Amino acid sequence: MTTWTNDELTRIEHAEELQMAPSRSDGTPRTPVPIWVVRDGDDLYVRSFRGSAGAWYRAARASHEGRIRSGGVDKDVTLIEVSDPAVNDRIDTAYRTKYGRYGASYIDPMVASRNTTLKLVPR
């Protein structure tokens, strides 16, 4: 399994958002959508603001593959569903820390959507 380089992690971590293009069933990428991304250690995570109803999230969950662009990094990724409560607690904190300036109307849905947490693993 491929890992992120320190440079990639830093560039994506410091980017405001990430362009996510989940793969369709035929392997072609969907139109990219901007989403928030957070870092925990040597891993990157995303969530769906709209919860499980988010179109990009439904496509990502169906294919478990996609392409991301952020901070000058352009990569194919595997999308792994995360259910570990301890990891999700850290991701909640990461969202509050990185994006808290946007206020509760944005942060609260991201924290409430912890069941949509996806780990980005480079391919």
Side-chain angles (χ1 to χ4, degrees):
M1 191 177 291
T2 306
T3 58
W4 297 105
T5 67
N6 285 332
D7 180 59
E8 290 169 333
L9 285 167
T10 299
R11 288 165 61 188
I12 294 170
E13 172 186 22
H14 292 292
E16 186 65 15
E17 57 190 18
L18 175 141
Q19 294 290 320
M20 167 64 73
S23 298
R24 293 184 176 95
S25 58
D26 67 1
T28 61
R30 293 172 48 98
T31 301
V33 296
I35 59 174
W36 286 352
V37 58
V38 294
R39 178 179 177 177
D40 179 49
D42 290 336
D43 296 314
L44 298 168
Y45 297 89
V46 295
R47 287 182 177 165
S48 172
F49 180 81
R50 299 193 192 301
S52 58
W56 78 263
Y57 174 75
R58 289 191 321 269
R61 202 161 161 232
S63 70
H64 294 280
E65 293 184 351
R67 184 149 191 95
I68 59 109
R69 231 176 326 170
S70 182
V73 177
D74 196 356
K75 285 267 188 191
D76 289 322
V77 293
T78 299
L79 306 164
I80 300 172
E81 296 174 51
V82 177
S83 59
D84 183 322
V87 172
N88 271 305
D89 288 346
R90 293 193 310 270
I91 302 310
D92 290 349
T93 299
Y95 272 107
R96 286 186 181 109
T97 300
K98 183 173 180 180
Y99 298 107
R101 68 187 178 281
Y102 291 104
S105 62
Y106 289 98
I107 295 301
D108 290 353
M110 294 305 290
V111 172
S113 295
R114 64 190 282 153
N115 66 325
T116 67
T117 304
L118 297 172
K119 179 179 173 180
L120 306 177
V121 179
R123 289 190 276 135

